[in-house]
Every structure is written in structure tokens, then in C-alpha cells.
Amino acid sequence: GGSADETPGFVLFVATLGYAATRAFIRGERESIAIDHEMQTAREIQLSILPVEMPDLPGLGFEAAYAPATSVGGDMYTFLSTETGAGVLVADVAGHGVPAALIASMVKIAASSQARLADDPAALIAELNLILRRDVRRAFVTATYLWIDIIQRTVTVCNAGHPPPLLYRDGAFVELGGPGVLLGRFADVQYTAVTTPLQSGDRILAYTDGIPEARNARGEMFGEERMHEIVRDGGMGVTVLEAVREWRGEAMEDADDLTIVVVEVR
């Protein structure tokens, strides 16, 4: 009968386990508080770089709709306007959290620093590529930049690994700009831009792939066609985002940011 002697050891053992479990729990809580704080910071960075107001130019109407993912990705959009037109940049940084939000803010600063190239999409995108390649290692950024000239009534688009913007006219959709390599990876890339004439009633959509690639609980993608239908029915960017969020429902695990900028030509 040495059981009486074993009891204190057993109690100590249980107490130690309890202490370890409590420590692990507290550490887990602390980490989750730290992660929540990091996400909060990332979201604040992200929201702080989004434009507060739209370009105010005759003959053009602008709308932007943006919904950050639960884990905060790196979507961003910005405008560069002059008296003769407006530039729209939509970009998507791979990854999540503070790193993605910081790279997105670098893209914004880089674009603002190249405002003199606002009306030259290929040159602007080439500059962004150089800046990201020089200053950010391992950044994967896709972008599209559109220059809408209100005097010529044209849109000029340069794409960098990004879904091409769409021109909606008379019930049909046309992709704008040619293909181009994503930003920040390769040195000797030649970016090209394509110019398209505009007419009253045209609508231009620039968006990130979070919209077509959003999946529902069954794993089905939202797809381009659903977005087209909403626009055909007169829906704006906000309507598109609402539809995507409804489609996604609770399937939010790896959900991406959603961004869409709509330009109406009057």
C-alpha cells in the first residue's frame, strides 16, 4: 500500500498539467489578441490609403465599392486626375495581413509619386514595376491602370497580370487593354497600353479577382457572367459586392478582398 505516498506526486502532476494548460490557453488568447490587433492595424492601413473622394470631371461619373476580407488582403484602388482626364489604378497584392496592407500602401505612394505619368498608362505601370522590384522583395502584385481622356473621349488601359477592365456598351462586354506581366518580379518587361474610343452611355468596370473567384458553400465560383448580369440590369458596384457576399454566405474561410470601380460615361 504505497498509495498514500503517491497522492502528493499525483496531485502535483495534475497541478502541473493544469498550470501548463492554463499557460497555453493564456498564450493562445494573447496570440489571438495579437493577431486581432494585427488585423485591425492592417485594416486601418488599408482603409487609410483608399481615396476619400472621387474625381470630379465633366462627362464622367465614378463609383467605387470595396469590402475587405476577414483576414485582410491587399486590394487597393486610387485615382490620378488632371484637367484633361482621370486615371484609375486597381491593384491586388498577394498575401494577407499587415505585409499585404503595407505593400498596397507602397503601391499607392508609388502611383502618387508618378502622377506626371497619369496620362501614359504603359509608362506608369513600368515605373510601378521598377519601384516594387527595387524596394520590395518577393512582392506579387497585379494591377490595371486606366486613363480616361475627357477631351479625346478615349480610355487607354495597361494591364499587369490583372483581370482586364470591361467596357459595357449596348448589352455587350469588351475586355480593355492587352495582357501584361504582374508587377515587381521581372526587370526587362515591356508594358503596352491599348486605347479605345468612348461614347455616352458606356460603363467601365475595373475589379479584382476576388469577385469572379468568390466561392459559395458548394465550392462554385461566382464567375464573370453573374457580374455581367447585374451590370446589364443596371446594378452598380455596390450591387455586385452585395451579390458576391450573399453568394459566399458563411463560406468565408479563405475569402478574398472585393474591389470594383465603375466609371460611367455621360
Side-chain angles (χ1 to χ4, degrees):
S3 60
D5 298 335
E6 284 162 19
T7 311
F10 181 69
V11 168
L12 184 64
F13 173 67
V14 170
T16 309
L17 265 186
Y19 174 67
T22 307
R23 275 200 55 184
F25 176 73
I26 291 168
R27 191 166 63 238
E29 284 292 288
R30 252 200 229 118
E31 278 171 14
S32 96
I33 288 166
I35 289 165
D36 285 349
H37 179 68
E38 183 176 288
M39 286 307 164
Q40 190 55 41
T41 307
R43 192 160 279 147
E44 282 163 14
I45 293 169
Q46 213 169 11
L47 292 173
S48 74
I49 66 168
L50 296 177
V52 183
E53 49 196 38
M54 307 285 151
D56 181 15
L57 287 162
L60 295 178
F62 292 85
E63 184 226 14
Y66 163 80
T70 38
S71 55
V72 186
D75 277 16
M76 62 79 65
Y77 64 90
T78 195
F79 302 106
L80 299 174
S81 2
T82 70
E83 289 80 59
T84 59
V88 181
L89 176 72
V90 176
D92 184 357
V93 180
H96 294 291
V98 172
L102 285 173
I103 294 170
S105 59
M106 278 198 64
V107 173
K108 154 102 178 193
I109 294 161
S112 305
S113 76
Q114 301 304 315
R116 68 183 196 291
L117 300 173
D119 61 354
D120 189 345
L124 184 108
I125 286 287
E127 272 310 308
L128 291 186
N129 183 53
L130 282 176
I131 292 167
L132 283 169
R133 217 175 153 269
R134 190 183 63 221
D135 298 339
V136 187
R137 304 284 173 269
R138 303 187 309 280
F140 285 89
V141 182
T142 71
T144 182
Y145 181 72
L146 310 85
W147 171 253
I148 301 153
D149 191 309
I150 59 171
I151 292 156
Q152 309 286 338
R153 301 271 288 176
T154 57
V155 61
T156 304
V157 177
C158 180
N159 296 317
H162 197 86
L166 300 172
L167 174 66
Y168 174 65
R169 180 186 293 169
D170 301 331
F173 289 86
V174 179
E175 292 189 349
L176 296 173
V181 182
L182 55 79
L183 298 173
R185 300 303 294 166
F186 308 102
D188 307 316
V189 188
Q190 290 298 306
Y191 287 102
T192 55
V194 178
T195 300
T196 306
L198 292 172
Q199 55 192 48
S200 294
D202 284 352
R203 248 198 250 176
I204 300 163
L205 320 176
Y207 58 96
T208 55
D209 62 12
I211 292 173
E213 290 175 9
R215 291 178 185 275
N216 65 9
R218 290 194 298 280
E220 300 159 331
M221 282 200 201
F222 185 76
E224 305 271 337
E225 202 40 59
R226 283 183 182 84
M227 182 170 71
H228 293 178
E229 281 308 308
I230 294 166
V231 174
R232 275 197 194 101
D233 291 343
M236 292 296 282
V238 175
T239 329
V240 172
L241 291 209
E242 279 167 5
V244 173
R245 288 160 101 171
E246 203 171 302
W247 174 261
R248 227 160 45 177
E250 297 309 304
M252 283 288 291
E253 278 318 293
D254 296 315
D256 206 351
D257 286 6
L258 307 173
T259 302
I260 183 166
V261 177
V262 180
V263 185
E264 287 189 280
V265 183
R266 297 180 178 136

